[in-house]
Amino acid sequence: MSFTLRQLQYFIAVAEHGTISGAAQNLSISQSAVTEAIRDLELDLGVALFERHRRGLNITHQGHQFHRHAARILSGVQDARRSFVETASAPPSPLALGVTSMVAGYVLSELLARYRRAYPAVQVTAIEDNRDYLEHLLIGGELDVAVMVISDLQDRHALQAEIFETSSYRLWLPLGHRLASADVIQIEDIVTEPLIMLTVDEIEENTGKLLSALGTKPRVAFRTRSVEAVRSLVATGAGVAVLPDLVYRPWSLEGDRIENRIISGNLPVVQVGMVWRRGSGLPQSARDFIGLVQAQQNQRKF
C-alpha cells in the first residue's frame, strides 16, 4: 500500500461531509483533487470506500472499517508533531492523576517516584477517590490518567485500560491460629471465622461473593477502610481477613506477626492498571507516564 496522509485527510473529510463538494470546501481545495484522491485510495486498497448516488456519497462497510484506522493514523501523526512542539517551545504540561484508596499506598508511590526522577520539571497533582468518581473525572477530561483497580471497570466504551499488576487473594491469620498449620486453606474452613473486612475498592464485594457461593453470609466482625487497621486487628486475633497479596506485609504497626496462606479454589484476582479516556489527545506528560509504566512492566517479564 502506498496511500498518503493527504489522501487519508481527504477521505475523512468526505466521510464527515457526505459529499465531494462539502469536503473540498472545508479543505479549501478543488473538487477534482478530492475526487482523484478518493479514486486513487480505493484503487490502492482494492475496495469501494463509498457508494455513489445523486445527492452525494454513502460510506460502505469497508469504508467504516478503514475510517477507524485512518483516524488512528492521523491522530498518531498529530501526537508526534505535538510532542516536538511541546519539547521545543513550551513548558512541560502538568499531569493530573487519579488513584483509588488501596492502590494509593501500595502502587502509586513507587510509580510517582520513578516518574519524578525521569521528568522532574512536570507538575504532578493526584486525587484519591472511589472508582466510579475517578471514571467520571476521566470521561470529563478532569484527569489525564488514573491508577486503580480495574477488574470491575464500568465504562469500557469511553475508557481505555491497561493492566500492569495482578494480585491473588490470600487468607491473613494471626500467629498461632488453628488454620496456620496448613499451607493451603479450604474456602469452607473460612466460613465460620470472624472476618475483618476491608471496604475499599472491590474487596468487600469480592469477599462476599466468594463466601456467599457456599450458601452462607460472611461473619463480619469489623469493617474498615484502613489496611493498617486490618493488619492490627488480624495480628491481635480479632479475626481473619481475605485480601490481595498486593497489600500483605508480615507485621502490624505494633510489631505483631501476621501469617498468610493460599486459599484453594477458583478465586477472583485483583487487577491493577492505568485508565485514560479513549480517543482523547493525551498531553505529553500523560503519554510519558503511561510509557514509563509500560516499560517497567516489560522489564518484569524478563
Side-chain angles (χ1 to χ4, degrees):
M1 293 183 183
S2 58
F3 54 75
T4 66
L5 294 178
R6 182 165 296 173
Q7 287 174 332
L8 298 185
Q9 292 170 337
Y10 292 2
F11 163 71
I12 287 177
V14 173
E16 291 176 349
H17 289 84
T19 63
I20 295 291
S21 59
Q25 184 176 359
N26 178 261
L27 295 167
S28 299
I29 58 174
S30 67
Q31 293 186 34
S32 60
V34 177
T35 300
E36 183 179 355
I38 298 301
R39 183 193 64 215
D40 291 345
L41 188 57
E42 289 181 321
L43 288 173
D44 190 24
L45 295 172
V47 298
L49 299 174
F50 297 99
E51 293 176 347
R52 278 74 175 171
H53 57 86
R54 285 189 301 174
R55 295 186 178 181
L57 303 173
N58 288 331
I59 193 166
T60 63
H61 176 66
Q62 291 91 342
H64 277 295
Q65 290 180 313
F66 186 67
H67 187 278
R68 291 197 299 270
H69 295 292
R72 193 177 301 122
I73 291 169
L74 293 179
S75 176
V77 171
Q78 290 173 354
D79 286 344
R81 287 174 174 164
R82 191 184 305 116
S83 68
F84 287 110
V85 171
E86 290 177 356
T87 302
S89 61
S93 54
L95 176 64
L97 287 175
V99 61
T100 48
S101 299
M102 188 178 68
V103 173
Y106 297 90
V107 177
L108 186 65
S109 55
E110 179 187 352
L111 294 179
L112 275 183
R114 290 171 61 93
Y115 183 79
R116 286 195 171 105
R117 287 195 298 268
Y119 305 98
V122 175
Q123 180 184 353
V124 180
T125 58
I127 178 174
E128 177 186 324
D129 217 300
N130 61 53
R131 185 197 63 221
D132 291 343
Y133 187 58
L134 293 182
E135 287 191 39
H136 167 73
L137 294 180
L138 286 167
I139 294 171
E142 297 176 64
L143 289 178
D144 298 318
V145 185
V147 180
M148 59 186 186
V149 174
I150 63 173
S151 313
D152 288 337
L153 193 67
Q154 296 299 306
D155 201 337
R156 294 184 180 269
H157 293 293
L159 298 172
Q160 185 168 341
E162 185 169 324
I163 300 167
F164 63 81
E165 185 161 340
T166 301
S167 184
S168 301
Y169 280 89
R170 297 285 187 267
L171 179 66
W172 293 16
L173 304 159
L175 192 65
H177 191 278
R178 67 178 184 87
L179 296 176
S181 59
D183 293 329
V184 179
I185 307 298
Q186 302 299 316
I187 189 64
E188 293 84 358
D189 294 332
I190 305 174
V191 172
T192 58
E193 294 291 329
L195 277 179
I196 310 300
M197 187 74 78
L198 185 67
T199 59
V200 299
D201 290 320
E202 61 197 44
I203 303 302
E204 183 172 13
E205 180 182 357
N206 280 347
T207 304
K209 286 179 180 178
L210 181 66
L211 297 179
S212 296
L214 298 174
T216 182
K217 290 185 178 180
R219 288 183 54 202
V220 180
F222 196 92
R223 283 185 170 86
T224 177
R225 294 181 58 82
S226 168
V227 178
E228 294 304 332
V230 174
R231 249 190 279 279
S232 295
L233 289 163
V234 170
T236 56
V240 300
V242 178
L243 289 175
D245 236 5
L246 173 71
V247 296
Y248 174 72
R249 302 293 182 271
W251 304 98
S252 70
L253 289 176
E254 296 79 17
D256 297 315
R257 176 76 184 183
I258 302 166
E259 303 284 334
N260 79 335
R261 295 291 185 272
I262 297 171
I263 306 172
S264 68
N266 186 23
L267 275 68
V269 295
V270 169
Q271 297 172 329
V272 178
M274 299 176 290
V275 184
W276 60 94
R277 188 172 60 175
R278 190 180 295 276
S280 64
L282 291 173
Q284 184 62 42
S285 58
R287 295 197 297 272
D288 289 337
F289 181 83
I290 292 169
L292 181 144
V293 177
Q294 290 171 333
Q296 177 176 297
Q297 176 67 5
N298 290 334
Q299 290 174 3
R300 290 178 178 177
K301 294 179 181 177
F302 298 99

